[in-house]
Amino acid sequence: MDYKGNVDRVLYDRDILAERVAEVGRQIKADFAGKDLVVVAVLKGAFVFAADLIRAVDLPMAVDFAEIISYGEGTETTEEVVLTKDVGVNVKGRDVLVVEDIVDTGLTTAFLVDHLRIRDPRRVDVCALLYKPAKQRVEVPLRYVCFEVGDVFAVGYGLDYAGRYRNLPEIVTLKELEREE
Ligand code: 5GP
C-alpha cells in the first residue's frame, strides 16, 4: 500500500507550509540581522523543515545538527532523552536558534537547551514547526512557532511514525497507527 491509503486528514499542505515557513523566515531575518547566528537543527524530525527554513532566512549563519532520541517507536513521550549526536560548532557568545519539529511536553527541547547553555552562548531561542500547548510540561524559550496543534499525532514533512512517512511533502494524520513489532 502507498502512504496515501493511510492518510486520514491533511493538516498542512505544501502551499500552507511554504507560505508559513517563508513568513517565519522573514521574522527570523528581522530579529537576527547583525547577530552571530548558529542554527541547530534537531535530527531527525526537523531536517526537512530546517532545510526549507534556513533558505528562507537571508542572513549569514552557521548550521549544525544535534540528534536526540526520545520517542521510541510509539506515539507517547518517554521520559528518557538521549543525545546521540552533539553539536560540533563553538556556540560561546553566539546566538543559537534551535530548530525543532515538535514541542510537545517540551522535555526533549528543554534537555537540548540546557545542554547548549552550559557552553555559554549569548542566547538560545527555539523555533518549532509544531507546538502542542495543551501537552507542555516544561518551559522552553519558544520564540517562533509555525503552527499550534491539538492532541493529534502528525506525520510527514520530516515527522515519522515508526521510522516512516518522513518523505511525505505534507503534514497529515494517519487512519491507523500500525506498530511494527
Ligand atoms: P517532547 O519531548 O516535547 O514531548 O517530544 C518531542 C518529540 O516527540 C518531537 O521532537 C517528536 O520527535 C516527537 N513527537 C511529539 N509529537 C509528535 C507527533 O505528533 N508526531 C510525530 N511524528 N512525532 C511527535
Side-chain angles (χ1 to χ4, degrees), residues 71 77 100-102 104-108 132 152-154 159-160:
Y71 230 63
T77 304
E100 268 285 12
D101 55 353
I102 303 186
D104 185 5
T105 62
L107 289 166
T108 313
K132 296 182 176 175
V152 294
F153 191 78
L159 302 167
D160 78 312

Side-chain angles (χ1 to χ4, degrees), residues 34-86:
K35 303 286 189 330
D36 188 6
L37 176 61
V38 180
V39 169
V40 174
V42 184
L43 299 173
K44 302 185 174 75
F47 84 105
V48 175
F49 171 47
D52 284 343
L53 184 70
I54 59 171
R55 287 177 292 171
V57 180
D58 182 18
L59 284 179
M61 65 173 73
V63 180
D64 204 351
F65 302 89
E67 185 178 31
I68 302 181
I69 307 276
S70 64
Y71 230 63
E73 300 231 313
T75 61
E76 292 302 316
T77 304
T78 61
E79 299 278 326
E80 202 189 334
V81 177
V82 181
L83 186 73
T84 50
K85 189 224 169 287
D86 203 349

